[in-house]
């Protein structure tokens, strides 16, 4: 124990130097890729002088953390990540109502989660669902280039498709909800059952299928289109597809955590993140989603949403706990148990 | 020597030698308590444990920073008063004689009551008033409030603990040995607070429904659910329940890692093969590899587009398949990853097997094979059992490999993670799965104890032991060489791939040479204004990781060996329960521990989330069991008469531990130090929830990169970590040194030297 004490003394000495100044602070929970998070933090710090402590975790992990910290919240703002966990947090009263003055500049789709939750969350970007395929593998296998959802049901694609498990991934749940809205509940589940015959693996993480496609482990990966674009921009042989029947989308969202210690800073960040200039910067760090501010520049690599048929995705309904639990357990019982 | 005569002689020794020392120790600890109560801030400041801003910011009168005594009188926190009495009263003992029977009871009473009170008040009075429903109803809301405990409370608690354990030893607890009672008291308290409490806190949520009400029926339904237990894989093409998958995998991995670990241990200690050091290094490589990397390298070798698969297709026309995804892949990756742990446990044990026993067997005309079969092998049983147990548990709790290579083969650890962080967000289900996993671990633990039984495995004694290790029988030697050489080769290939991956633009696709990833992660530059600039994006988490690991490793090894010593060498009531609890945090998947730590330590009385301390504490208690296992296995070989000799010569037990046991425990110490350091640098699942902006860890950075498909950066970071860990392990080895067993060397030179 003597060693322990010495180490303790040493630690004390090392850390005395790093006493914090009592400046304005903000604790940010950030869910998109780290480069984007860092860009936001650096720009915000420069503009306001507020010191930001940022932690990057996936949206599911962040929700779990905010829930566990409920009785003594440590975070102030949760920025980014797919919308469903934000809706869930709102549903469970973990986040705070805030009506930003920037709301008038936002697209309608960005405000729909805001309305659905009474102001607890707002959209900051939109990402269309789709898939990507490995052009080299497709050519070497002599497969027809897929253009629609139904093209993936072609028996020639047996064992060539990957999608995440909807139980573990918000991306995949969005796919399930999308096909249910496109083809009706029975039709949607028929689609999932037939797709099941072609799926080689249900991955855990939502973007894993496109990474597998990029290094040639699978031909098709069903993901958000901007994830496929990211791989293509990196130089991988990936072709992004916006399915011809139309497709659903996610609304990347932002919420203020209830009981935030730095409420003023949180609100400042919230307004800041909704401005056109800030949202226009996303493409510079390889984020090709569509920004929610009407005045923001849409990155030229982003899938052109005018040419993509976007369905009228009902986020309030399919994001609610009851519908989600029902669809997931139906998928568990009727789809995942089918033999292949 | 029988234990009764021993304890008698020791008591006489203690009585004669210690009254003066005892009084000094008592005074010292009381002063610590008084200093804590009268001077240091009682509560924890908002800026964190290591912030010393309070010295100039209103201390001692400011409410936030004032010491315990002022809190009582100025802030009306009357509930702290009993604590002051408990540490104040013992001053009257200085007038009493040491054998005064009142003394023992009095100290125990003060310490025990004080400890109970400090915990009780901490848990009942929270940040926003009463924490307990009963108090809310009885005394009205919100009630008094307080922050988390700070320095003052910490010192007072240590003082109370000391009073209690001294009283206990005076009453004759553990042969009246104050050091032992103190060690037991400290260990039990720490283990209860940092293992038992958070684990119970999270496992309890298994019994709750979504609204937080008790729902035993729902719990039962979840526990017996088809998805956990179904046996479809035997009669249909479907997969089995996740519990069976995990169990099956863990047994396979436990067996393969134990056998491989043994093969390497024998190879290094019992054969004259050249390049032993190289083999040691090869077996160490996987243990120091950050998560995901082995899995990724395996995909690039054996995956559908992997090097080996492409070669097979080109050379023999075998169409590439995805066989690697699923059980084969995870088994393969885990065997690669956990064999070193088995090796580390077994190498000490194999070295410890006494050559004179083998010589005795040979003198009795046993041939090499018979000697191996009847003497060497049975003496290695504690090591084998511990190695299997570690491999089994590691496999159950492993998260990175199944995530990358799992395919459609579901295991408990990943299911638990996604039950919490996936689209379901069902903490109750995660807790249920964790209970299943815990059940497996504990059963394995129990079976291991049964198998070892009450036999003696002592082979390092104080008597002259001048044997030369017997050469292995030929068939064993050929066997292990045939296993170890390909395994070593495969390891090297995988690591070659990993190293290579850091220098190419896109691993697995575009293989043109580049330094880009290294520059992104670890660039440094020189500016005239600020001096050296750490520009790379990885530096921040890199330094934190190094710092946290360096602090936690010695603490883990020390506490682990101390606990092992208590478990093997001391007798006290409730030892089995205590041993069981120490295994809990190791046996439970990191995800559950992570969430449990947030639930337990995000609110007063112990509020340490968002600090570096929570990471250190988490590593300490999560990795301590490895230190314990290594220590227990090694100590089972040491003849107790060695300690007894020291004790009868009048050395206190603390000296005996330091001078006799520790030097003989060097291999175990090395294993514990290395392992806890490495684990702190490579742990992922618990860490995800405990990192914060100021304390980000390397693995969470790597996970972020892997999630984003930036394999280059992830691999660069991993390669750097591997090199750093190699250097550190070398350093540890150099500092700890080798155990000198006083056996003859087997080389001809020392033969002549010894005459």
């Amino acid at each position: 124990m003597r060693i322990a004490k010495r180490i303790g003394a040493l630690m004390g000495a090392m850390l005395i130097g790093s006493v914090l100044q009592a400046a304005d602070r903000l604790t940010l929970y950030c869910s998109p890729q780290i480069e984007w998070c860092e860009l936001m933090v650096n720009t915000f710090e420069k503009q306001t002088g507020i010191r930001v402590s940022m932690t990057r975790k996936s949206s599911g992990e962040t929700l779990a953390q905010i829930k566990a910290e409920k009785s003594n919240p440590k975070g102030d703002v949760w920025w980014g990540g797919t919308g469903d966990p934000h809706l869930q947090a709102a549903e469970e009263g973990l986040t705070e109502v805030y009506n930003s003055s920037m709301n008038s500049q936002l697209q309608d789709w960005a405000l729909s989660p805001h309305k659905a939750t009474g102001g607890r969350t707002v959209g900051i970007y939109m990402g269309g669902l789709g898939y990507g395929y490995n052009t080299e593998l497709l050519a070497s296998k002599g497969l027809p280039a897929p253009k629609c959802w139904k093209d993936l049901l072609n028996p020639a694609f047996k064992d060539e498709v990957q999608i995440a498990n909807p139980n573990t991934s918000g991306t995949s749940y969005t796919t399930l909800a999308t096909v249910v809205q496109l083809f009706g509940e029975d039709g949607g589940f028929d689609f999932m059952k037939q797709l099941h015959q072609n799926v080689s693996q249900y991955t855990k993480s939502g973007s894993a299928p496109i990474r597998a496609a990029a290094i040639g482990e699978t031909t098709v990966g069903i993901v958000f289109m901007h994830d496929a674009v990211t791989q293509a921009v990196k130089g991988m042989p990936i072709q992004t597809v916006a399915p011809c029947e139309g497709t659903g989308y996610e609304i990347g969202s932002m919420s203020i955590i209830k009981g935030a210690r730095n409420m003023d800073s949180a609100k400042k960040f919230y307004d800041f993140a909704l401005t056109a200039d800030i949202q226009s910067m996303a493409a510079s760090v390889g984020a090709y989603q569509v920004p929610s501010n009407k005045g923001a520049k849409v990155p030229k690599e982003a899938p052109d949403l005018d040419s993509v048929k976007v369905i009228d995705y009902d986020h309030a309904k399919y994001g609610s706990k009851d519908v989600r639990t029902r669809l997931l357990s139906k998928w568990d019982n009727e789809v995942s148990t089918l033999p292949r | 020597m029988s234990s009764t005569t021993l304890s008698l002689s020791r008591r006489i020794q203690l009585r004669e030698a210690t009254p003066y020392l005892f009084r000094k120790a008592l005074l010292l600890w009381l002063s610590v308590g008084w200093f804590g109560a009268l001077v240091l801030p009682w509560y924890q400041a908002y800026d964190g444990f290591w912030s010393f801003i309070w010295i100039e910011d209103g201390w001692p009168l400011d409410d936030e920073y004032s010491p315990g005594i002022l809190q009582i009188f100025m802030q009306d926190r009357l509930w702290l008063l009993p604590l002051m009495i408990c540490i104040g009263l013992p001053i009257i003992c200085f007038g009493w004689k040491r054998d005064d029977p009142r003394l023992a009871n009095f100290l125990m009473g003060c310490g025990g009551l004080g400890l109970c009170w400090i915990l009780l008040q901490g848990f009942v009075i929270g940040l926003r008033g009463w924490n307990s429903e009963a108090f809310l109803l009885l005394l009205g809301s919100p009630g008094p409030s307080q922050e988390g405990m700070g320095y003052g409370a910490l010192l007072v608690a240590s003082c109370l603990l000391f009073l209690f354990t001294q009283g206990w030893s005076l009453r004759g607890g553990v042969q009246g040995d104050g050091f032992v009672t103190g060690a037991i008291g400290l260990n039990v308290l720490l283990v209860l607070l940092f293992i038992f409490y958070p684990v119970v806190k999270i496992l309890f949520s298994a019994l709750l429904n979504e609204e937080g009400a008790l729902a035993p029926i729902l719990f039962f339904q979840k526990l017996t659910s088809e998805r956990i237990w179904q046996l479809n894989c035997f009669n249909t093409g479907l997969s089995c329940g996740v519990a069976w998958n995990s169990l099956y995998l863990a047994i396979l991995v436990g067996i393969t890692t134990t056998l491989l670990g043994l093969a390497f241990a024998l190879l290094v200690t019992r054969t004259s093969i050249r390049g032993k050091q190289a083999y040691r290094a090869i077996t160490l490589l996987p243990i120091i590899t950050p998560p995901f990397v082995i899995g990724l390298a395996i995909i690039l070798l054996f995956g559908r587009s992997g090097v080996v698969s492409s070669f097979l297709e080109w050379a023999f026309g075998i169409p590439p398949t995805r066989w690697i995804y699923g059980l084969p892949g995870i088994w393969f990756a885990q065997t690669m990853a956990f064999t070193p742990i088995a090796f580390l446990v077994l190498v000490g044990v194999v070295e410890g097997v006494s050559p004179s026993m083998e010589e005795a067997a040979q003198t009795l005309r046993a041939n090499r094979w018979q000697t191996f079969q009847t003497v060497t092998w049975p003496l290695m049983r504690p090591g084998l059992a511990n190695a299997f147990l570690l491999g089994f548990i590691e496999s159950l709790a492993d998260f990175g490999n199944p995530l990358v290579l799992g395919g459609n083969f579901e295991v408990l650890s990943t299911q638990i993670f996604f039950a919490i962080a996936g689209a379901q967000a069902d903490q109750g289900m995660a807790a249920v799965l964790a209970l299943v996993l815990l059940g497996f671990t504990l059963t394995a633990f129990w079976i291991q104890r049964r198998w070892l039984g009450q036999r003696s495995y002592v082979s390092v004694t104080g008597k002259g032991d001048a044997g030369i290790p017997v050469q292995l029988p030929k068939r064993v030697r050929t066997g292990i060489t045939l296993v170890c050489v390909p395994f070593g080769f495969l390891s090297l290939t995988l690591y070659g791939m990993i190293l290579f991956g850091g220098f190419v633009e896109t691993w697995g696709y575009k293989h043109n040479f580049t330094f880009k990833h290294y520059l992104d992660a670890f660039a440094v530059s020189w500016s005239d204004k600020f001096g050296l600039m750490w520009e790379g994006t990885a530096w921040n988490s890199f330094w934190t990781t190094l710092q946290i690991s360096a602090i936690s490793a010695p603490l883990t090894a020390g506490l682990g060996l101390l606990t092992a010593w208590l478990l093997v060498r001391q007798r006290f009531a409730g030892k089995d329960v205590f041993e069981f609890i120490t295994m809990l945090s190791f046996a439970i998947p990191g995800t559950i521990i992570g969430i449990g730590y947030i639930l337990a330590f995000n609110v007063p009385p112990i509020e340490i989330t968002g600090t570096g301390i929570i990471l250190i504490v988490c590593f300490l208690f999560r990795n301590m069991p490895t230190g314990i296992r290594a220590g227990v296995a090694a100590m089972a070989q040491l003849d107790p008469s060695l300690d007894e000799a020291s004790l009868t010569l009048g050395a206190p037990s603390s000296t005996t531990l330091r001078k006799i046991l520790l030097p003989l425990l060097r291999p175990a110490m090395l294993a514990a130090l290395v392992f806890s350091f490495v684990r702190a640098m490579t742990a992922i699942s618990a860490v995800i929830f405990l990192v914060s902006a100021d304390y980000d860890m390397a693995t969470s950075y790597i996970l972020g990169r892997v999630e984003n498909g930036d394999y280059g950066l992830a691999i660069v970071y991993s390669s750097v970590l591997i090199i750093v860990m190699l250097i550190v392990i070398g350093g540890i080895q150099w500092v700890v040194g080798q155990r000198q067993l006083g056996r003859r060397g087997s080389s001809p030179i020392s033969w002549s030297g010894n005459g």
Side-chain angles (χ1 to χ4, degrees):
Chain A
M1 286 293 105
R2 192 187 297 163
I3 300 174
K5 272 182 206 151
R6 277 187 197 162
I7 290 167
L10 209 70
M11 270 163 65
M14 277 193 315
L15 290 153
I16 279 181
S18 59
V19 179
L20 303 168
Q21 297 93 348
D24 273 344
R25 283 154 73 172
L26 175 76
T27 306
L28 176 68
Y29 289 167
C30 189
S31 295
Q33 64 264 44
I34 187 90
E35 288 85 358
W36 201 0
C37 296
E38 278 165 357
L39 176 78
M40 292 298 286
V41 169
N42 294 338
T43 325
F44 184 67
E45 282 188 335
K46 254 181 231 155
Q47 279 196 8
T48 60
I50 294 172
R51 210 182 83 96
V52 183
S53 300
M54 180 270 290
T55 323
R56 201 216 77 93
K57 291 186 178 83
S58 78
S59 49
E61 286 157 16
T62 309
L63 177 64
Q65 176 138 14
I66 293 174
K67 242 194 235 178
E69 289 176 349
K70 188 168 62 177
S71 51
N72 189 13
K74 293 284 160 72
D76 299 318
V77 179
W78 175 15
W79 179 80
T82 189
D84 283 350
H86 284 269
L87 291 175
Q88 230 172 315
E91 206 177 335
E92 295 184 27
L94 300 169
T95 47
E96 194 62 74
V97 177
Y98 178 55
N99 292 303
S100 167
S101 56
M102 301 297 298
N103 284 0
S104 56
Q105 301 183 20
L106 300 185
Q107 305 271 8
D108 288 344
W109 52 258
L111 288 170
S112 82
H114 193 73
K115 283 181 197 122
T117 56
R120 289 178 198 275
T121 185
V122 72
I124 48 176
Y125 59 80
M126 177 211 247
L129 191 69
Y131 53 85
Y133 61 83
N134 185 315
T135 49
E136 291 174 4
L137 263 182
L138 194 86
S140 78
K141 301 234 169 225
L143 293 166
K147 293 197 164 52
C148 305
W149 285 118
K150 295 249 158 116
D151 289 345
L152 299 181
L153 303 181
N154 181 348
F157 280 95
K158 183 151 184 72
D159 276 350
E160 296 298 340
V161 180
Q162 285 192 12
I163 179 172
N165 186 323
N167 281 307
T168 64
S169 148
T171 310
S172 181
Y173 174 73
T174 309
T175 315
L176 178 61
T178 297
V179 294
V180 164
Q181 290 171 75
L182 263 178
F183 308 126
E185 185 156 335
D186 291 341
F189 270 91
D190 275 347
F191 176 86
M192 291 310 272
K193 283 174 193 165
Q194 289 179 52
L195 185 68
H196 181 76
Q197 301 303 325
N198 287 349
V199 171
S200 69
Q201 183 186 342
Y202 290 101
T203 62
K204 309 283 182 205
S205 139
S207 59
I210 199 66
R211 274 178 277 143
I215 58 170
E217 292 297 300
T218 184
T219 308
V220 179
I222 300 179
V223 289
F224 284 117
M225 284 187 275
H226 54 256
D227 287 333
V229 171
T230 305
Q231 294 293 340
V233 171
K234 262 191 211 161
M236 305 304 248
I238 291 290
Q239 172 66 47
T240 311
V241 177
C244 66
E245 295 97 334
T247 191
Y249 58 95
E250 66 162 349
I251 300 175
S253 303
M254 168 168 64
S255 314
I256 292 183
I257 294 159
K258 194 174 199 165
R261 294 188 182 192
N262 308 297
M263 192 53 91
D264 291 341
S265 307
K267 287 177 177 166
K268 271 184 205 156
F269 184 88
Y270 196 100
D271 297 341
F272 160 87
L274 293 177
T275 53
D277 291 350
I278 298 307
Q279 295 197 348
S280 302
M281 292 161 72
S284 68
V285 286
Y288 304 117
Q289 288 92 327
V290 179
S292 69
N293 189 307
K294 288 177 197 160
K297 273 204 299 279
V298 179
K300 63 178 190 307
E301 295 88 350
D304 182 9
L305 282 178
D306 293 333
S307 65
V308 174
K309 266 207 286 184
V310 179
I311 63 168
D312 189 13
Y313 193 103
D314 189 346
H315 283 97
K317 180 179 173 195
Y318 291 93
S320 77
K321 192 151 201 159
D322 293 342
V323 176
R324 190 207 332 269
T325 314
R326 192 174 60 78
L327 289 182
L328 284 178
S329 65
K330 190 166 175 180
W331 184 86
D332 261 351
N333 296 328
E334 294 181 14
V335 180
S336 73
T337 52
L338 288 177
R340 268 178 290 180
Chain B
M1 178 186 292
S2 77
S3 63
T4 40
T5 49
L6 170 75
S7 65
L8 191 65
S9 62
R10 260 175 74 188
R11 270 197 202 189
I12 294 165
Q13 284 285 346
L14 286 170
R15 298 229 161 186
E16 282 166 359
T18 52
Y20 174 68
L21 269 178
F22 171 76
R23 214 161 272 178
K24 236 171 95 178
L26 187 64
L27 185 65
L28 177 81
W29 278 102
L30 280 177
S31 334
V32 166
W34 297 333
F35 184 66
L38 303 178
V39 181
L40 290 179
W42 183 263
Y43 292 113
Q44 189 188 346
Y46 171 64
D47 306 295
F49 194 82
W50 299 113
S51 155
F52 292 88
I53 199 166
W54 51 271
I55 295 175
E56 50 186 72
D57 193 29
W59 174 81
L61 295 179
D62 195 276
D63 168 23
E64 228 181 299
Y65 304 126
S66 53
I69 194 83
L70 294 180
Q71 295 282 358
I72 298 173
F73 297 112
M74 293 177 62
Q75 318 297 337
D76 286 336
R77 293 191 158 122
L78 288 176
W79 60 89
L80 299 178
L81 192 58
L83 296 173
M84 305 300 148
I85 297 173
C86 284
I87 59 167
L89 274 184
I91 198 158
I92 59 172
C93 315
F94 287 103
W96 294 354
K97 286 216 169 70
R98 198 195 136 87
D99 46 7
D100 193 327
R102 285 176 306 172
L103 182 62
N105 292 336
F106 183 72
L107 287 182
M108 248 181 117
C110 282
L113 286 178
L115 269 184
C116 291
W117 186 257
I118 203 168
L119 290 176
L120 191 74
Q121 59 91 20
F123 284 106
V124 168
I125 301 173
L127 203 56
R128 302 204 180 85
W130 301 118
N131 271 340
S132 135
E133 296 277 328
F135 280 88
L136 279 174
L137 286 176
L138 272 174
L139 299 167
S141 64
S145 67
Q146 60 180 353
E147 301 274 324
M149 293 187 190
Y151 312 104
L154 185 71
L155 291 193
V156 168
S158 334
C159 166
L160 289 168
L161 179 71
F162 176 80
L163 292 179
F164 178 77
T165 55
Q166 282 304 302
W168 181 27
S169 77
L170 284 179
R171 279 182 59 122
V174 202
Q175 288 105 44
D177 192 324
F179 175 74
V180 182
T181 53
I184 294 175
L186 180 71
N187 260 16
V188 170
L189 188 70
L190 288 177
V191 163
L192 284 180
L193 265 184
F194 292 110
I195 299 180
F196 190 65
Y197 170 55
V199 166
V200 165
K201 190 120 187 168
I202 176 96
L203 290 186
F204 187 67
S205 62
L207 289 170
L208 306 178
N209 63 10
E210 306 247 326
E211 280 75 45
L214 267 182
I217 298 172
L218 185 72
F219 166 69
F220 192 72
Q221 280 169 353
K222 280 181 181 168
L223 189 62
T224 53
S225 123
E226 280 246 306
R227 298 186 65 78
I228 305 183
W229 299 108
Q230 69 195 351
L231 281 168
N232 289 337
C233 54
F234 290 107
N235 43 24
T236 66
L238 292 170
S239 58
C240 267
V242 56
W244 299 122
N245 283 350
S246 277
L247 184 65
Y248 182 50
L249 174 71
I251 291 174
L252 284 178
V253 171
I255 292 172
T256 44
T257 54
T258 308
L259 291 179
L260 276 170
L262 179 66
F264 273 101
L266 289 172
L267 187 82
V268 169
T269 57
R270 289 298 177 95
T271 64
S272 44
I273 192 168
R274 254 174 290 163
K276 279 182 191 176
Q277 288 306 319
Y279 274 97
R280 263 185 199 256
I282 290 174
T283 55
L284 271 177
L285 273 178
I287 206 179
I288 59 175
T289 307
F292 311 112
V293 181
I294 293 188
L296 289 177
I298 287 178
I299 290 182
L300 291 185
L301 264 189
F302 299 105
R304 193 164 73 149
S305 312
V307 178
V308 175
S309 316
S310 306
F311 173 77
L312 288 179
E313 187 184 22
W314 172 77
F316 306 105
I318 303 169
T321 60
R322 286 198 192 80
W323 64 273
I324 198 78
Y325 297 99
L327 178 68
I330 312 180
W331 183 19
F332 183 37
Q334 290 189 339
T335 302
M336 299 295 293
F338 304 139
T339 295
I341 301 171
F343 171 76
L344 278 179
V345 171
L346 284 166
V347 78
V349 173
V350 173
E351 271 172 357
V353 170
S354 164
S356 33
M357 295 198 188
E358 292 169 325
E359 277 186 354
Q362 293 200 309
T363 321
L364 295 170
R365 299 271 171 90
N367 62 26
R368 280 184 183 179
W369 174 244
Q370 282 170 323
T371 311
F372 182 77
Q373 213 186 351
T374 58
V375 177
T376 320
W377 173 261
L379 280 174
M380 291 186 306
R381 273 170 62 157
L384 292 173
N386 277 304
F388 176 82
L389 191 66
L390 283 175
F392 181 85
I393 295 174
E394 285 286 343
S395 163
L396 280 178
D398 178 33
F399 168 74
N401 292 315
L403 190 69
V404 177
L405 286 167
N408 296 319
F409 187 80
E410 305 278 6
V411 293
L412 285 168
S413 55
T414 48
Q415 289 292 91
I416 289 168
F417 178 80
F418 287 106
I420 285 184
Q424 296 164 313
D426 185 353
Q427 190 181 310
M429 190 66 209
V432 168
L433 292 169
L435 277 175
V436 173
L437 203 152
L438 192 60
F440 286 155
T441 316
L442 296 177
T443 313
F445 188 52
W446 179 77
I447 293 173
Q448 179 234 20
R449 302 257 309 223
R450 286 289 299 256
W451 188 61
L452 288 180
Q454 298 298 316
R455 286 192 204 86
S456 162
Y457 297 98
V458 171
S459 62
V460 176
T461 65
K463 297 167 196 110
D465 185 6
I468 301 166
V470 177
Q471 282 285 312
L472 289 171
K474 202 165 206 162
R475 51 187 128 164
V476 177
R477 205 173 56 211
T478 327
I480 60 175
T481 318
L482 280 179
V483 170
C484 291
V485 172
F487 184 85
F489 179 73
L490 195 59
S491 260
L492 282 183
T493 317
L494 281 179
Y495 282 88
M497 300 267 316
I498 293 171
L499 206 60
F500 166 75
F503 291 103
V504 297
E505 195 167 321
T506 315
W507 200 29
Y509 184 65
K510 252 196 231 167
H511 291 156
N512 45 335
F513 183 85
T514 172
F515 276 119
K516 182 173 151 285
H517 305 306
Y518 278 90
L519 289 178
D520 279 354
F522 292 106
V524 277
S525 70
W526 185 266
S527 86
D528 293 335
K529 206 167 152 201
F530 303 106
L532 196 60
M533 299 273 286
W534 306 97
E535 275 190 334
T537 54
W539 283 117
N540 185 15
S541 59
F542 177 78
W543 292 123
T544 313
T545 308
L546 212 57
Q547 199 181 357
I548 301 266
S549 311
I551 294 167
S552 70
L555 292 178
T556 313
L559 196 62
L561 290 185
L562 185 70
T563 312
W565 177 67
L566 294 177
L567 291 175
V568 176
R569 287 296 203 256
Q570 307 298 336
R571 259 166 296 158
F572 53 95
K575 195 167 94 173
D576 288 343
V577 180
F578 174 65
E579 186 172 9
F580 166 79
I581 296 174
T582 59
M583 292 298 290
L584 274 183
S585 75
F586 187 59
I588 291 179
T591 313
I592 293 284
I593 293 281
I595 293 285
Y597 263 57
I598 298 187
L599 289 177
F601 303 124
N602 189 45
V603 285
I606 304 172
E607 188 185 338
I608 50 176
T609 46
T611 65
I613 298 175
I614 196 164
L615 290 165
I616 297 175
V617 168
C618 175
F619 290 139
L620 175 53
F621 290 97
R622 215 165 139 59
N623 299 331
M624 187 176 83
T626 329
I628 299 179
R629 288 298 103 201
V632 164
M635 243 180 275
Q637 288 186 322
L638 303 182
D639 189 342
S641 63
L642 289 172
D643 334 4
E644 284 167 9
S646 159
L647 291 169
T648 35
L649 288 170
S653 50
S654 50
T655 312
T656 307
L657 179 65
R658 201 174 69 237
K659 292 233 166 128
I660 308 293
L661 287 172
L662 277 189
L664 288 171
L665 285 176
R666 278 193 176 145
M669 201 170 10
L670 188 69
L673 266 178
V674 166
F675 191 72
S676 45
F677 180 81
V678 161
R679 282 292 292 250
M681 297 212 38
T682 58
I684 179 72
S685 45
V687 168
I688 296 174
F689 295 100
L690 302 180
V691 294
S692 49
D694 300 329
Y695 295 94
D696 196 8
M697 297 288 282
T699 44
S700 103
Y701 178 97
I702 293 174
L703 176 67
R705 294 297 163 170
V706 171
E707 267 177 11
N708 197 31
D710 271 339
Y711 297 134
L713 269 179
I715 284 163
V716 159
Y717 205 156
S718 304
S719 319
V720 170
L721 286 182
I722 289 173
I723 290 164
V724 168
M725 281 188 268
L726 272 180
I727 295 169
V728 171
I729 290 172
I732 294 175
Q733 219 152 10
W734 180 69
V735 169
V736 173
Q738 291 266 321
R739 162 171 71 171
Q740 304 292 333
L741 280 183
R743 285 177 185 152
R744 275 175 295 170
S746 50
S747 64
I749 302 162
S750 48
W751 266 109
S752 61
N754 289 338

